[in-house]
Amino acid sequence: MNDDRSLLEHAIRLAADGINNGSGPFGAVISKNGKIISESTNRVVLSHDPTAHAEILAIRKASALLKSHDLSGCVIYTSCEPCPMCLGAIYWSGIKKVIYAAESLDAAKSGFNDKTIYNEINLNLQDRKIHFVHISDAGGKEVFKKWDEFEGKIPY
């Protein structure tokens, strides 16, 4: 069984190795009951996928392995404080504990600045840098009505 420090150090080693492999300075490990069930480095550049952050990829692997979208019994260890996207994925996955090493300010100093995203989240839609257009009569609400009535749904 691994302790928090050794699992975090493993995530940091993944991040360091990722630099040498061209994937960037981030690593993540997910454990359940002290046992590693998934791990990943950042693969944004290698896979040409802006969502391929270490935490996201580790969550995808853990979910596939456990055959569940609910990772509430797991802990995630990250080489750096999760960005807003990864934080959202952690909440959606049900993970209840995040153990991290570097802070977001450390990442920002190296060019990974999430401040704009955090600032944008707090703005009204019309004040954001990305233009949001709401078309209310396109049928979006009807999809949720169908979901509400669907007897075979699996809530998450």
Side-chain angles (χ1 to χ4, degrees), residues 133-142:
V133 177
H134 178 213
I135 300 176
S136 61
D137 62 351
K141 290 181 183 180
E142 284 72 20

Side-chain angles (χ1 to χ4, degrees), residues 4 7 15 24 37 42-43 77 83 94 96 108 118 125 138 153 156:
D4 288 342
L7 290 166
I37 59 171
N42 178 301
R43 298 192 53 82
Y77 301 83
C83 75
K96 303 287 189 241
Y118 281 113
L125 293 176
K153 67 182 160 199
Y156 61 96

Side-chain angles (χ1 to χ4, degrees), residues 5-156:
R5 180 178 267 307
S6 67
L7 290 166
L8 181 59
E9 289 172 349
H10 185 72
I12 293 166
R13 281 191 301 276
L14 288 170
D17 290 346
I19 293 170
N20 297 330
N21 298 330
S23 63
F26 299 95
V29 171
I30 296 180
S31 74
K32 186 169 184 169
N33 301 322
K35 180 182 175 210
I36 294 174
I37 59 171
S38 72
E39 61 184 50
S40 188
T41 60
N42 178 301
R43 298 192 53 82
V44 169
V45 174
L46 293 176
S47 65
H48 311 291
D49 178 356
T51 69
H53 290 203
E55 297 91 334
I56 299 291
L57 296 175
I59 288 169
R60 289 175 183 163
K61 289 178 184 179
S63 295
L65 179 77
L66 297 175
K67 296 181 180 6
S68 177
H69 62 278
D70 181 4
L71 302 180
S72 58
C74 298
V75 177
I76 189 165
Y77 301 83
T78 67
S79 60
C80 185
E81 181 181 352
C83 75
M85 177 182 67
C86 293
L87 181 61
I90 290 165
Y91 273 98
W92 277 110
S93 73
I95 292 173
K96 303 287 189 241
K97 187 175 184 181
V98 177
I99 299 184
Y100 66 97
E103 296 179 318
S104 61
L105 294 174
D106 300 312
K109 290 175 188 173
S110 292
F112 301 95
N113 192 344
D114 301 327
K115 186 174 181 178
T116 299
I117 299 169
Y118 281 113
N119 290 342
E120 288 281 303
I121 288 170
N122 291 321
L123 295 176
N124 291 322
L125 293 176
Q126 67 273 13
D127 296 327
R128 292 182 179 170
K129 292 179 182 180
I130 295 174
H131 185 72
F132 282 75
V133 177
H134 178 213
I135 300 176
S136 61
D137 62 351
K141 290 181 183 180
E142 284 72 20
V143 174
F144 286 107
K145 288 178 187 174
K146 183 176 181 175
W147 172 254
D148 291 340
E149 296 166 0
F150 180 58
E151 291 182 20
K153 67 182 160 199
I154 299 172
Y156 61 96

